[in-house]
Amino acid sequence: MSYLVLARKYRPRTFSQMVGQEHVVQALTNALEQQRLHHAYLFTGTRGVGKTTVSRILAKSLNCQGPDGQGGITATPCGVCQACTEIDAGRFVDYTELDAASNRGVDEVQSLLEQAVYKPVQGRFKVFMIDEVHMLTGHAFNAMLKTLEEPPEYLKFVLATTDPQKVPVTVLSRCLQFNLRPMAPETMQEHLARVLETEAVPADAQALRLLSRAARGSMRDALSLTDQAIAFGAGQLREAAVRTMLGSVDRSHVFRLVEALAQGDGKTVVETSEDLRLHGLSAGAALEEMSLVLQRMAVVQAVPEAADTRDEEGAAIARLAALMPADETQLLYSICLHGRGELGLAPDEYAALTMVLLRLLAFKPGAAQKKTLAKADHAESAGVRAAHHQPTNTAPLPTRDADGRLAVRGESPHPSVSSSPPQPLRSDVAAPTARSPAPGAAPPSPQPPRPTAPPGHVLPVVEPRQAGTRPSAAPSANNGEVVGVPVRVPPEPARETPSAVPSVAPTPDGDFWQDTVQQLVEREAITALVRELALQAQLVARDEGHWMLRVERESLNQAVARERLRNALQALGHAVDLSVEVGTVTDSPARRNAAAAARRQQAAEQIIYNDPFVQQMQREFGAKIVPGSIKPVEKH
């Protein structure tokens, strides 16, 4: 006994058995019930979504005779009469299927149309079904146009194609077009569960989910993959076996990659990529799975209520969504999408996968800033090390003894006074020159200790070239000047230049023209070019029954625009004639609106710049106001 594959065994026989195409089923059902039948139908959609199936059900609905042989046109064919059974078996004489992929010439189409002159032999209607109709030649399309437009009343055309863009518009205009959509993975998973329950095949929900996603919207592909998975799993569907058969990437690898990228852990990224290589998993499938996970993460970040934490996978995605910023999620999603096209360009797809993943770390938001800070810290550390390794002829730092007198570290200013532990140099002393007192000279009078500088006080910097200009005592072998190390002070953030206010030279008629144009705009009496003419124009003079306008661009001075503006003014109560000249405009509604907007912008910028909190953030953290980010709030 030959085995009948699931895709053929479970092909829908009636409209009620159709899955995922409710919009097409509803339209055809209503047309059949109301007897409003068109003579030509065009079904479009990807492979395996039901185009041929709908065609056969439609043919049975048109020719069904009912169980008792007394039936008529119906939306629910009986499936037991001669017409229904023979159409299902593919041997009904009045139902003809033509494969246009292999019969695409004008001769084949003409031989088919020659049968149109004969009435049906068994059924109520002749039905010509042409599959992949876009494969027909131009001459073949032209040969069928006349018959397709005015066929006999007993003839119905059903066309099917996966590429409607290649069908001539002359054919499209003669047909009712129905687009069969790709089926959602959830819809296919539910249908597969019902089929396997009927077949008594045990299956995991996760295995069915993998098969549904791998089918990419095609129910026929989903059933064919299910057949393959049953054979691979020895009569049962388990997630591990299905994942191995499909070469899919385990979501645990994807979660580990996303978490490592969120934490900037390049080592884990490289190790996980090597694990994929060792397990023989597809690099393209890895990027595809990452794209799916990142898409769900972005949805959770935008709409937290959409998080589904009922299963482990949903909980993991919610955790990663909280771990990675939204901008990095969008960046990584874009990198994964574009990286799939680069896998075939590289000599090793796993090396290409590693480069795609490491690209996020290179272009991660804030990475450049961290790199710059690291370089600055390295340079600062090098400067400090250089300062500690000064030549031996550099003078030691002076210290202050217990009596407050300055002394060079390592020697005592007075032989009878023991040296005290060195104290830090005061910030208000500018690099004094240490010298030993002359023998017999009176020791200098002790000075009271001065208070230390408050936190944040900047030490004065002494340039090396200024050392020779300072007054100093007699040279000594152990003394010298202390050269201050420059202290880096971050510059104040540059303040954004306030927006300039456009110049407006008010004229006597400016206020009147501004109010008039504003009324026309609010009433939507003028649009497009006429509205632009009114806004850009200046009312130069107005007399009894005549107004003179001035514009700067000749393109605005068009007769049609002037006439429409005159009609709008007449409807507003100003029955005048308009004249338009080209010249310099100093006062127009557009200039006034721009000046008002600039003043509002300046006021908004002043509020932000003068805000104490903003100023504190600029001083303490070096915050900057992004140019162009300040917008005034429009009052409605």
Side-chain angles (χ1 to χ4, degrees):
M1 180 178 179
S2 61
Y3 173 72
L4 189 63
V5 297
L6 297 179
R8 294 182 58 188
K9 184 177 181 180
Y10 290 94
R11 181 192 290 270
R13 301 291 192 271
T14 61
F15 286 125
S16 60
Q17 297 177 359
M18 290 286 297
V19 177
Q21 307 297 345
E22 289 79 7
H23 61 294
V24 177
V25 171
Q26 180 179 353
L28 294 178
T29 300
N30 293 338
L32 290 168
E33 291 178 349
Q34 300 173 9
Q35 303 292 309
R36 301 179 64 89
L37 302 174
H38 201 270
H39 61 268
Y41 297 88
L42 174 63
F43 298 115
T44 64
T46 186
R47 77 271 180 262
V49 293
K51 300 185 294 296
T52 305
T53 299
V54 172
S55 172
R56 293 181 180 179
I57 298 176
L58 179 60
K60 290 193 296 184
S61 300
L62 294 173
N63 293 287
C64 180
Q65 300 172 358
D68 55 357
Q70 303 298 323
I73 299 176
T74 177
T76 56
C78 64
V80 297
C81 66
Q82 181 182 5
C84 292
T85 55
E86 291 185 357
I87 290 175
D88 288 335
R91 59 175 182 268
F92 190 62
V93 67
D94 292 323
Y95 176 71
T96 304
E97 289 189 3
L98 178 67
D99 180 19
S102 55
N103 301 277
R104 57 192 308 264
V106 63
D107 295 334
E108 289 83 355
V109 172
Q110 285 181 347
S111 63
L112 176 67
L113 296 179
E114 288 174 357
Q115 304 176 23
V117 298
Y118 302 104
K119 289 188 175 181
V121 177
Q122 295 180 350
R124 195 175 295 110
F125 291 93
K126 272 183 174 292
V127 179
F128 289 167
M129 194 277 178
I130 305 178
D131 198 9
E132 298 299 335
V133 68
H134 68 277
M135 301 292 289
L136 292 178
T137 63
H139 294 294
F141 276 121
N142 294 333
M144 64 182 295
L145 284 180
K146 188 60 179 177
T147 307
L148 183 64
E149 182 177 6
E150 297 178 355
E153 60 179 6
Y154 52 81
L155 179 61
K156 303 294 182 184
F157 281 94
V158 178
L159 312 181
T161 178
T162 56
D163 195 355
Q165 286 78 16
K166 294 183 179 179
V167 179
V169 293
T170 52
V171 174
L172 296 177
S173 64
R174 289 166 167 82
C175 302
L176 289 185
Q177 183 174 348
F178 295 93
N179 182 27
L180 280 70
R181 306 165 184 165
M183 300 183 193
E186 295 77 12
T187 302
M188 289 191 290
Q189 183 178 350
E190 294 176 0
H191 185 66
L192 291 180
R194 291 194 296 267
V195 169
L196 294 176
E197 183 179 359
T198 305
E199 292 287 319
V201 176
D204 293 341
Q206 187 64 25
L208 297 181
R209 184 179 303 176
L210 291 173
L211 294 173
S212 301
R213 286 205 302 262
R216 299 184 180 276
S218 172
M219 183 62 73
R220 183 174 60 223
D221 289 1
L223 292 171
S224 299
L225 288 174
T226 303
D227 261 328
Q228 182 180 354
I230 293 174
F232 186 86
Q236 56 183 358
L237 273 67
R238 300 302 177 204
E239 178 185 358
V242 172
R243 192 179 295 278
T244 303
M245 182 195 75
L246 297 175
S248 303
V249 179
D250 188 0
R251 282 289 174 91
S252 61
H253 291 87
V254 175
F255 293 153
R256 186 160 67 250
L257 283 172
V258 174
E259 184 173 1
L261 291 172
Q263 297 175 353
D265 187 0
K267 180 181 178 182
T268 303
V269 171
V270 175
E271 291 177 351
T272 306
S273 179
E274 288 299 320
D275 289 342
L276 296 177
R277 180 199 298 269
L278 294 177
H279 289 83
L281 300 176
S282 172
L287 291 178
E288 182 179 355
E289 290 292 330
M290 284 192 66
S291 301
L292 294 174
V293 171
L294 291 168
Q295 184 268 336
R296 293 182 60 183
M297 288 172 54
V299 172
V300 172
Q301 290 171 347
V303 185
E305 297 81 7
D308 185 9
T309 58
R310 291 174 294 180
D311 56 355
E312 296 182 2
E313 183 175 307
I317 290 176
R319 179 180 62 84
L320 292 175
L323 187 62
M324 178 176 287
D327 56 347
E328 292 187 17
T329 303
Q330 296 291 338
L331 176 60
L332 182 55
Y333 180 78
S334 179
I335 289 176
C336 290
L337 286 184
H338 292 84
R340 292 179 61 187
E342 301 176 5
L343 297 180
L345 303 177
D348 183 1
E349 68 171 3
Y350 294 99
L353 172 64
T354 304
M355 290 300 297
V356 169
L357 297 177
L358 293 180
R359 190 173 303 162
L360 176 68
L361 300 182
F363 294 98
K364 192 173 183 180
Q369 182 180 3
K370 293 178 181 178
K371 188 175 181 180
T372 303
L373 293 177
K375 289 183 178 179
D377 294 341
H378 178 73
E380 184 177 0
S381 301
V384 172
R385 288 195 301 269
H388 283 299
H389 293 80
Q390 293 291 336
T392 56
N393 58 355
T394 304
L397 292 176
T399 59
R400 192 172 294 279
D401 59 12
D403 297 330
R405 291 174 296 193
L406 291 174
V408 178
R409 184 177 299 177
E411 63 179 22
S412 175
H414 198 276
S416 62
V417 180
S418 60
S419 61
S420 60
Q423 299 180 2
L425 180 66
R426 291 202 319 268
S427 60
D428 56 348
V429 178
T433 303
R435 55 178 299 183
S436 301
S445 58
Q447 299 179 359
R450 300 177 66 178
T452 59
H457 185 71
V458 180
L459 290 175
V461 178
V462 179
E463 298 292 340
R465 61 176 179 272
Q466 298 176 355
T469 61
R470 295 189 177 186
S472 60
S476 175
N478 296 326
N479 63 0
E481 293 186 353
V482 178
V483 180
V485 179
V487 179
R488 295 189 307 136
V489 179
E492 290 293 331
R495 179 168 175 172
E496 182 183 353
T497 304
S499 304
V501 178
S503 60
V504 177
T507 57
D509 296 324
D511 295 335
F512 170 77
W513 182 241
Q514 170 78 10
D515 295 339
T516 303
V517 174
Q518 186 68 24
Q519 294 179 28
L520 294 176
V521 173
E522 291 178 353
R523 296 184 180 184
E524 297 183 356
I526 53 177
T527 58
L529 183 62
V530 183
R531 181 176 181 271
E532 193 68 17
L533 170 62
L535 289 174
Q536 298 292 342
Q538 175 181 345
L539 182 59
V540 180
R542 54 188 178 121
D543 299 330
E544 186 72 22
H546 183 268
W547 290 2
M548 172 65 73
L549 301 179
R550 180 184 298 164
V551 295
E552 291 184 342
R553 291 180 293 173
E554 180 66 31
S555 59
L556 296 175
N557 187 12
Q558 297 185 11
V560 176
R562 292 197 305 269
E563 183 64 21
R564 292 181 179 178
L565 181 58
R566 187 186 68 81
N567 295 336
L569 290 172
Q570 185 175 1
L572 193 62
H574 304 288
V576 295
D577 293 331
L578 291 180
S579 299
V580 180
E581 65 178 8
V582 179
T584 303
V585 175
T586 59
D587 183 14
S588 65
R591 283 180 171 268
R592 293 195 175 201
N593 295 339
R599 287 192 293 270
R600 292 195 300 270
Q601 179 68 25
Q602 284 188 350
E605 293 174 356
Q606 291 298 329
I607 292 175
I608 297 299
Y609 289 133
N610 297 332
D611 186 85
F613 177 74
V614 174
Q615 295 177 353
Q616 180 182 4
M617 296 290 290
Q618 290 178 322
R619 288 193 307 268
E620 298 182 1
F621 302 102
K624 296 182 180 180
I625 299 176
V626 178
S629 61
I630 303 176
K631 299 296 180 183
V633 178
E634 300 292 342
K635 296 181 179 180
H636 299 284

